[in-house]
Amino acid sequence: MCAAVLLGGCSSSEPDGTRAQWREYCARLGAWQEARNSVDTLREAPGGAEALAQAVMSAASVLDRTRRDQDSVHVLGDTASAVTEADLVAEGRVVSSCDRAGFETLVR
């Protein structure tokens, strides 16, 4: 059951592939956020925020190509702004998108 149905983030008619793409994206976004926020991880180190930024961008580009919902239309641009420009407003929008998709526990 998706609690975000009223917000339009996901629905019972949403293809399983799209839901899996959102899960993958949100998991990668959460990993990037964790690495970025970690004082123990150097940004350039393997597994650091810069290394994970490309994985987040890759997952965002998959969602951008599907454009099956309002959130996926903006996810690539907002993700790019969040991971390359430290745009907290854009990051907030993609985190909200993950919330609406039902993956709020994967992001910070």
Side-chain angles (χ1 to χ4, degrees), residues 28-71:
R28 289 182 181 193
L29 178 65
W32 171 79
Q33 289 175 311
E34 187 174 334
R36 182 209 49 209
N37 295 340
S38 175
V39 294
D40 298 329
T41 305
L42 297 175
R43 292 185 185 273
E44 296 82 18
E50 286 188 22
L52 294 171
Q54 186 58 41
V56 176
M57 289 299 299
S58 176
S61 67
V62 170
L63 283 169
D64 181 67
R65 284 192 300 272
T66 64
R67 294 182 179 252
R68 290 192 175 125
D69 58 30
Q70 187 63 30
D71 287 325

Side-chain angles (χ1 to χ4, degrees), residues 68-103:
R68 290 192 175 125
D69 58 30
Q70 187 63 30
D71 287 325
S72 64
V73 171
H74 302 286
V75 73
L76 185 59
D78 283 341
T79 302
S81 294
V83 302
T84 62
E85 300 170 18
D87 183 335
L88 296 178
V89 174
E91 184 177 345
R93 285 190 297 263
V94 292
V95 167
S96 292
S97 295
C98 287
D99 288 350
R100 286 189 294 277
F103 300 111

Side-chain angles (χ1 to χ4, degrees), residues 4-5 17 19 21 30 33 35 42 54 60 68 97 104 106 108:
V5 171
R19 182 148 175 82
Q21 290 167 345
Q33 289 175 311
L42 297 175
Q54 186 58 41
R68 290 192 175 125
S97 295
E104 62 278 351
L106 298 177
R108 302 330 171 236

